[in-house]
Amino acid sequence: MIAMRAVLLALLLGCVASTQGAVVNCAPAAGRFTVLLSEPSGGALADRVAVERFLNKLQFELDQERDERWINPGATPVAFRACPKRAPALDGSEFSAEVVEQLNDQRVLMEVWGVVERDGTPPALSAQINYLLVPLRFAADQRETVPAGLQRLRYPEAGAAPTTDAVQLISKPLDLDAFIASALGLKLLRERAYEPAHANLCRAHSLLGAMLKRPITGRSKTELTALHGFVQESAGRTLREALADAAYPRTGLLRLQKPAQPCAEGQ
């Protein structure tokens, strides 16, 4: 009986483990802000070869074939890093305060993963993609009042054409740019790099506003709306902190801005 219980317990633990993700180490780009591209789950990618081909193609697409609408802070640009075998659970449960702190210290801005499925007749792809904004989750872990650090979006949206290309399905320039600008602005604000922080937060406010005009519904829209308001508030906070900082130059450009209208120039 004891042996049987041990076998049943082992099977149960094996089933539980199989439902959890795996957050293996993925080294960020040296000397740069980094966005980690982790493995999606789901049945759309048939095997390891397909998964790694997808990640490499996605990184190439994001590195080479798109416009960057965030504001790179001088000599510290944003890099994308494909992370084979790094496969977080869909609920992001592995991202403890310790894991998030390590990512934040490594200047990881965001991690992207999710689930990609193939269904329908003829077969087409659908996905839920998660965007973990590391500076936002780090702030939440410090007991700061912030919106959800894990943003979730479903693709394709209502009315969008179906696709069988997983990279084309999820490599949405507007969405990625909006979240990167948000995370980068918040990270730079914490580092007291006021001018690029303000520029990115205002850019994020504009891009998130454009996203909210799309047919996004439910929890995704609620969380996106909260982030939209928060980045504008943070742009105002950036101005107030810059003007109160004795080290901020007397000729600094932010002295021309008004905290009550932090993004008045439509950045």
Side-chain angles (χ1 to χ4, degrees), residues 1-265:
M1 180 64 70
I2 293 176
M4 179 62 72
R5 287 178 179 174
V7 170
L8 290 173
L9 179 60
L11 289 172
L12 177 60
L13 291 175
C15 290
V16 171
S18 69
T19 66
Q20 296 175 338
V23 180
V24 301
N25 185 54
C26 183
R32 306 177 74 175
F33 293 107
T34 305
V35 175
L36 301 183
L37 307 172
S38 294
E39 287 190 5
S41 58
L45 303 174
D47 51 31
R48 290 295 325 158
V49 173
V51 169
E52 294 190 12
R53 184 186 303 119
F54 161 78
L55 288 175
N56 290 332
K57 183 180 177 183
L58 180 61
Q59 179 177 331
F60 179 83
E61 179 89 7
L62 298 178
D63 273 338
Q64 305 293 333
E65 299 183 1
R66 60 192 303 279
D67 295 328
E68 299 174 356
R69 284 181 281 185
W70 64 86
I71 312 297
N72 275 320
T76 313
V78 175
F80 295 90
R81 179 75 81 199
C83 298
K85 299 183 180 179
R86 183 178 173 95
L90 196 59
D91 64 1
S93 55
E94 298 92 344
F95 292 100
S96 64
E98 292 76 16
V99 170
V100 170
E101 183 175 13
Q102 182 182 36
L103 292 173
N104 189 66
D105 290 345
Q106 294 172 331
R107 305 187 100 185
V108 173
L109 296 177
M110 186 165 73
E111 183 154 353
V112 182
W113 79 101
V115 57
V116 183
E117 300 286 2
R118 186 185 305 275
D119 48 36
T121 305
L125 297 180
S126 62
Q128 176 187 309
I129 301 302
N130 293 347
Y131 302 88
L132 180 70
L133 280 64
V134 172
L136 205 56
R137 176 62 71 85
F138 178 76
D141 290 338
Q142 306 306 305
R143 302 293 189 268
E144 298 177 23
T145 302
V146 296
L150 182 58
Q151 298 283 323
R152 305 170 177 87
L153 293 176
R154 297 199 65 85
Y155 304 105
E157 293 170 351
T163 181
T164 58
D165 186 327
V167 170
Q168 293 302 317
L169 177 69
I170 69 173
S171 60
K172 303 296 185 183
L174 176 62
D175 302 1
L176 285 161
D177 287 357
F179 291 138
I180 291 172
S182 300
L184 183 56
L186 294 169
K187 178 66 171 172
L188 291 169
L189 172 56
R190 195 172 287 275
E191 296 180 356
R192 298 182 180 178
Y194 299 117
E195 291 183 3
H198 178 262
N200 275 289
L201 290 166
C202 287
R203 180 63 54 85
H205 184 257
S206 175
L207 296 174
L208 291 166
M211 288 176 66
L212 285 167
K213 295 177 182 178
R214 300 191 336 232
I216 299 171
T217 60
R219 179 179 181 180
S220 294
K221 183 171 184 178
T222 300
E223 293 177 344
L224 201 63
T225 300
L227 180 60
H228 182 235
F230 183 74
V231 295
Q232 185 177 41
E233 293 170 7
S234 298
R237 174 186 161 197
T238 304
L239 293 178
R240 290 190 296 272
E241 291 190 10
L243 298 179
D245 189 338
Y248 185 67
R250 292 182 178 275
T251 57
L253 295 176
L254 297 185
R255 295 190 183 279
L256 303 175
Q257 302 282 344
K258 297 179 180 179
Q261 296 178 303
C263 299
E265 298 302 318

